[in-house]
Amino acid sequence: MKIVFFDLEDWEVEYFQKRIFNQDVEYYKTSIQETHSDTIYNADIICSFIFSPLGKQTLDKFKKLKLIATMSTGYDHIDMDECAKRNIVVCNVPVYGENTVAEHTFGLILNLSRNIYKAYNRTSKGKFSYDGLIGFDIKNKTLGVLGTGRIGQHVIRIAKGFEMNVVAYDPFPKPELQKTLDFKYITFEELLASSDIITIHIPLNSSTYHLINRDSIQKMKTGAMIINTSRGPIVETNSLLEALGSGKLGGAGLDVLEGEAMIKEEKAVLHQNNDVGREQMATLLQDYALMRMENVIVTPHLAFYSKEGVTRILDATLDNIFDLIENRGIRNKVVVKK
Ligand code: NAI
């Protein structure tokens, strides 16, 4: 089998080299789009990350592709309908670090609630004043958790350690969890109205795109905070920006941004002849405005990025590859719920 890896770091290449033998393997640190080699298109299996979008145009170039093993949980960067038409199986890494993402979620919450990043900026310049740095306790505050899947559940566990009051919304609730994890399911509208901090742990799809928009933000408590470690387009950037500027929202902790792919590729966006539209360019500018705001903390989509979390991703990717090579049932095959 020909296996081609993209989006890898040096240590990850070494990790795979020590574990894959007797196959035709190519390793690239670049994304699929940045890799200029015709040999990649003979791949039976490709393993890549979210930085390699797999839309129709890209898929057209791979003539014998059987498996896409994305090294991520989310698969919204892959055109699943096009894969189905071509009989390409897509598998992901469904479980590798609900604690990893949940821990980062609390990193963002505590950074905002206690102004840690602002205090750090100040002390790094040798200043020790308290001015404007008063924070708030998260104990007894209401945390609204959107999505009680793997990550959402772990967030609830941590929140209970902080003695927070937790409410959650999920269109596919698991009522038994309410007792074991000590929280209450409420409606989406009730969650918006009652939460001091709203944290998003849902997949990006057509029904969650811009779920947080001008209308939903209006229904939130004045001064509430939003945490998004899920996917950028779940939050409509312009409405978020306006609400943070007007004081309707008190702060935002964002590991993901609507235009993050363009930020990463900003040189290409600026210097190449490409079809970045007005709307996308506006989102890019809004992202930069967000990143400059005092009450916003942005991290570059790294909630998953701990040594333990990434090692589990690599191991699960090996399982996915060998499930196909050794003709076993593919355990992490993505089945899209419509
Ligand atoms: P999961 O599939 O275990 O749980 C998702 C939950 O969201 C499910 O319970 C589902 O019923 C619920 N849901 C779906 N639509 C909803 C809606 N409109 N409102 C409320 N709940 C809704 O997924 P998991 O593992 O918890 O991951 C969640 C998301 O986190 C992923 O889809 C991915 O996009 C993102 N993620 C981000 C990472 C990062 O590094 N920033 C790393 C890993 C995942």
Side-chain angles (χ1 to χ4, degrees):
M1 290 262 183
K2 169 134 185 175
I3 311 168
V4 187
F5 286 87
F6 301 92
D7 305 312
L8 293 181
E9 294 180 11
D10 287 330
W11 74 273
E12 295 170 329
V13 173
E14 275 174 40
Y15 195 88
F16 285 127
Q17 279 172 334
K18 285 185 188 146
R19 289 162 178 84
I20 305 176
F21 309 102
N22 305 325
Q23 308 291 336
D24 177 9
V25 193
E26 290 181 28
Y27 297 100
Y28 295 96
K29 287 181 240 167
T30 41
S31 68
I32 296 177
Q33 283 69 22
E34 292 162 335
T35 307
H36 304 291
S37 159
D38 287 340
T39 58
I40 63 174
Y41 299 115
N42 298 327
D44 296 290
I45 301 175
I46 56 178
C47 301
S48 55
F49 192 54
I50 53 164
F51 305 123
S52 292
L54 280 157
K56 182 178 181 310
Q57 271 189 342
T58 306
L59 290 170
D60 277 344
K61 297 182 190 162
F62 288 89
K63 299 297 175 204
K64 49 191 273 250
L65 196 56
K66 297 180 184 65
L67 181 76
I68 297 170
T70 182
M71 292 186 279
S72 59
T73 303
Y75 46 85
D76 47 90
H77 56 294
I78 302 171
D79 189 328
M80 296 299 291
D81 291 335
E82 289 296 328
C83 289
K85 276 187 212 161
R86 296 164 163 79
N87 286 323
I88 298 170
V89 174
V90 177
C91 53
N92 67 344
V93 182
V95 192
Y96 64 87
E98 52 269 35
N99 70 295
T100 309
V101 178
E103 286 170 21
H104 191 76
T105 301
F106 271 85
L108 294 173
I109 292 175
L110 293 169
N111 252 293
L112 286 167
S113 66
R114 302 305 301 269
N115 292 309
I116 293 172
Y117 62 104
K118 288 187 205 163
Y120 167 77
N121 282 340
R122 203 173 284 183
T123 53
S124 65
K125 292 184 193 111
K127 293 184 190 157
F128 263 69
S129 93
Y130 286 166
D131 193 25
L133 292 186
I134 193 155
F136 66 87
D137 289 356
I138 61 171
K139 177 177 170 177
N140 293 332
K141 294 291 184 306
T142 297
L143 180 71
V145 179
L146 280 178
T148 54
R150 286 170 282 254
I151 296 170
Q153 286 175 43
H154 206 87
V155 163
I156 295 173
R157 274 188 209 105
I158 298 178
K160 295 315 294 186
F162 281 104
E163 297 182 52
M164 298 187 84
N165 169 37
V166 182
V167 291
Y169 167 71
D170 195 309
F172 306 100
K174 301 160 197 80
E176 67 287 357
L177 288 179
Q178 296 182 108
K179 210 165 171 196
T180 46
L181 298 183
D182 186 19
F183 71 97
K184 195 167 169 238
Y185 277 119
I186 54 177
T187 65
F188 180 56
E189 311 280 315
E190 286 168 341
L191 182 142
L192 296 177
S194 61
S195 303
D196 299 299
I197 301 169
I198 294 177
T199 184
I200 306 172
H201 305 290
I202 63 180
L204 172 63
N205 55 40
S206 52
S207 59
T208 62
Y209 176 79
H210 284 183
L211 181 71
I212 303 300
N213 53 33
R214 185 161 291 119
D215 183 45
S216 39
I217 290 173
Q218 270 322 308
K219 293 173 183 157
M220 292 177 192
K221 270 188 177 177
T222 296
M225 286 183 173
I226 291 187
I227 308 294
N228 189 5
T229 57
S230 191
R231 285 292 181 264
I234 293 170
V235 178
E236 195 208 335
T237 312
N238 197 31
S239 303
L240 177 65
L241 195 58
E242 271 176 26
L244 287 163
S246 71
K248 170 67 191 169
L249 289 179
L254 310 169
D255 185 48
V256 287
L257 290 173
E258 215 173 348
E260 67 185 44
M262 284 190 290
I263 295 174
K264 197 163 178 284
E265 307 299 334
E266 69 183 355
K267 281 206 187 100
V269 171
L270 292 172
H271 297 299
Q272 280 171 21
N273 231 354
N274 58 46
D275 58 358
V276 175
R278 257 178 106 86
E279 209 174 304
Q280 281 175 294
M281 202 46 105
T283 305
L284 190 60
L285 290 173
Q286 287 154 8
D287 283 346
Y288 279 108
L290 271 177
M291 284 189 267
R292 282 204 306 269
M293 291 186 91
E294 278 261 294
N295 49 353
V296 176
I297 178 163
V298 176
T299 52
H301 199 146
L302 50 59
F304 69 96
Y305 196 60
S306 70
K307 188 81 183 180
E308 294 81 0
V310 176
T311 304
R312 284 189 291 265
I313 292 176
L314 303 189
D315 288 338
T317 301
L318 285 167
D319 286 341
N320 288 340
I321 295 169
F322 283 103
D323 278 350
L324 182 82
I325 293 175
E326 293 171 3
N327 224 354
R328 305 190 287 249
I330 296 175
R331 67 193 89 175
N332 295 321
K333 181 174 170 173
V334 173
V335 181
V336 182
K337 282 189 213 160
K338 296 235 175 179

